């Protein structure tokens, strides 16, 4: 069976990112971005998407975390595009979608008081929908919050930049929604876990369409 893997090295004046991805993995990961909370999110993404992921980033953290987070999303999206190739034979999962569209994954994931929803479609058309987080995206962070919890300093707007970068380069429709919840760590973790589970099911092989492009157009 063909091993689906991606290897990306991306360098700019702001960051240097190296990604090694194996889609048909076991959830193993080695992550080092210089941002411990972000490392935690990418580690749990690999675990719950059941991919093997090695990601190293040296970024200009003396400026802020924005470039590092965004460029990791870009590089990871490029790795998925490389690994999926022409996308023949992959499946779709999710209630409420037409069974003849085998290319969409959906996941609801709870995290204590939070519930997050993610739907993904590796359609070749990049589009991010980000709902339910506008009030949290630029919330003022008190000094006490920064000292107490790294997730409070990891603004929700930063998470959006990661997902936007991934969406652009993986060329997918990605819909992320916070149904409810407000604790910073729980919100971001629920989003990353829902993203992971949706990616997992969308990338799984479906033996019923083996060797076929899951599109009436014949190309994605």
């Amino acid at each position: 069976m063909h091993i689906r893997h991606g290897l990306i090295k991306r360098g700019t004046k702001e960051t240097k990112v190296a990604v090694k991805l194996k889609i048909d993995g076991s959830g193993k990961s080695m992550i080092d971005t210089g941002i411990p909370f972000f490392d935690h999110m990418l580690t749990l993404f690999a675990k719950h998407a059941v991919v093997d992921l090695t990601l190293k980033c040296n970024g200009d953290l003396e400026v802020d975390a924005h470039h590092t987070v965004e460029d990791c999303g870009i590089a990871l999206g490029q790795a998925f595009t490389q690994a999926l190739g022409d996308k023949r034979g992959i499946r779709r999962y999710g209630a409420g979608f037409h069974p003849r569209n085998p290319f969409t994954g959906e996941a609801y994931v709870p995290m204590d008081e939070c519930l997050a929803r993610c739907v993904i479609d590796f359609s070749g058309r990049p589009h991010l929908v980000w709902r339910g987080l506008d009030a949290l995206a630029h919330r003022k962070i008190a000094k006490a919050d920064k000292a107490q919890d790294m997730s409070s300093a990891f603004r929700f707007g930063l998470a959006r930049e990661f997902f936007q970068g991934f969406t652009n380069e993986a060329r997918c429709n990605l819909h992320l929604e916070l149904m409810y919840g407000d604790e910073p760590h729980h919100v971001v973790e629920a989003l990353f876990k829902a993203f992971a589970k949706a990616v997992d099911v969308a990338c799984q092989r479906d033996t019923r369409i083996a060797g076929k492009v899951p599109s009436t157009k014949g190309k994605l």
Side-chain angles (χ1 to χ4, degrees):
M1 183 178 291
H2 173 66
I3 297 175
R4 300 177 294 175
H5 59 85
L7 184 62
I8 299 295
K9 291 185 178 180
R10 183 178 189 274
T12 70
K13 292 181 179 180
E14 298 168 342
T15 64
K16 289 181 174 60
V17 189
V19 177
K20 183 179 180 181
L21 170 72
K22 181 182 176 184
I23 289 181
D24 306 297
S26 59
K28 297 182 295 184
S29 64
M30 292 180 61
I31 310 295
D32 182 8
T33 67
I35 308 169
F37 181 76
F38 189 38
D39 291 352
H40 176 46
M41 294 300 104
L42 292 175
T43 298
L44 64 83
F45 165 76
K47 182 71 172 181
H48 294 287
V50 200
V51 301
D52 293 342
L53 177 63
T54 301
L55 189 151
K56 170 74 174 177
C57 180
N58 290 315
D60 56 353
L61 295 178
E62 72 279 4
V63 176
D64 65 13
H66 183 281
H67 298 148
T68 292
V69 173
E70 180 182 27
D71 288 4
C72 286
I74 289 171
L76 184 61
Q78 291 173 342
F80 267 90
T81 295
Q82 187 180 99
L84 288 173
D86 62 9
K87 309 183 182 88
R88 291 180 185 273
I90 69 172
R91 66 181 301 179
R92 150 289 204 199
Y93 172 82
F97 293 95
H98 198 287
R100 289 187 179 179
N101 178 10
F103 214 42
T104 305
E106 177 183 38
Y108 286 84
V109 169
M111 181 68 183
D112 293 349
E113 85 291 352
C114 295
L115 181 65
R117 174 176 179 256
C118 179
V119 185
I120 193 166
D121 178 0
F122 286 98
S123 61
R125 300 184 307 275
H127 189 83
L128 174 68
V129 173
W130 180 260
R131 296 182 60 185
L133 290 110
D134 288 346
L136 300 174
H138 301 291
R139 180 177 66 89
K140 184 176 180 181
I141 301 173
K143 289 183 179 180
D145 288 337
K146 290 182 180 180
Q148 178 184 1
D149 191 348
M150 284 297 296
S151 61
S152 296
F154 191 89
R155 293 179 179 272
F156 301 104
L158 270 183
R160 178 172 183 163
E161 291 304 314
F162 168 81
F163 290 118
Q164 185 68 70
F166 179 90
T167 298
N168 291 345
E169 297 300 326
R171 301 192 61 78
C172 63
N173 284 183
L174 180 61
H175 292 233
L176 280 159
E177 182 174 12
L178 177 65
M179 312 300 289
Y180 44 79
D182 54 15
E183 203 285 321
H185 191 133
H186 294 169
V187 169
V188 179
E189 184 162 339
L191 289 169
F192 270 85
K193 284 182 175 177
F195 172 58
K197 297 311 298 180
V199 166
D200 176 26
V201 293
C203 292
Q204 289 175 10
R205 290 184 170 103
D206 187 338
T207 57
R208 297 171 298 176
I209 57 169
K212 299 178 182 178
V213 176
S215 170
T216 57
K217 296 181 293 186
K219 183 177 181 180
L220 287 164

